[in-house]
Amino acid sequence: LCIRLLEALGLVINGPVRRRAGEVDISAVNPQPIIGGDVLVHCVLAHQARPVDTHAVQSLSDTVKADGASKGILITNGYFAEEVGKLPEGPPVELINATRLRKLLDDHQISLT
């Protein structure tokens, strides 16, 4: 699902790598001149009772910085913990929660099946 969405957004996928159950890391490239570059995407299948915490966001931020990527994107079918908004400044990381994910899927006519 994440790969289909990223491709619909114009990103070129370098290869998905499953880390563990419910999580996938995807290396992609935004081919647009000037604003493009390497993008690291972390997709998390969230458990309804637990929001995605700061550890997941900080881990992606650290990887973006270490790999020299231009951006990180964390996509979840759940929500982010309140403290995520209080993380220190770092490389650009875009957070996509369940509400925004549903809208993006609808906008790009991507079904969940």
Side-chain angles (χ1 to χ4, degrees):
L1 185 63
C2 284
I3 292 172
R4 291 191 322 212
L5 175 60
L6 295 173
E7 288 175 336
L9 292 169
L11 298 178
V12 177
I13 307 302
N14 288 339
V17 178
R18 184 171 304 277
R19 287 182 38 184
R20 50 186 183 247
E23 296 186 23
V24 176
D25 284 329
I26 301 167
S27 174
V29 175
N30 180 344
Q32 293 185 13
I34 301 174
I35 62 169
D38 293 334
V39 179
L40 299 177
V41 183
H42 185 68
C43 301
V44 177
L45 180 63
H47 303 287
Q48 292 194 0
R50 265 194 351 236
V52 176
D53 63 13
T54 56
H55 175 73
V57 178
Q58 188 62 55
S59 177
L60 177 59
S61 180
D62 292 345
T63 304
V64 167
K65 186 175 180 179
D67 290 359
S70 58
K71 180 180 188 172
I73 304 172
L74 202 155
I75 301 172
T76 182
N77 65 325
Y79 296 92
F80 295 95
E82 205 173 295
E83 67 269 11
V84 166
K86 300 172 187 168
L87 283 171
E89 194 74 23
V93 174
E94 188 167 350
L95 305 177
I96 298 175
N97 67 13
T99 303
R100 187 154 174 231
L101 177 59
R102 272 197 262 350
K103 176 147 179 33
L104 286 168
L105 293 174
D106 287 346
D107 289 351
H108 294 282
Q109 299 174 347
I110 299 171
S111 69
L112 296 174
T113 56

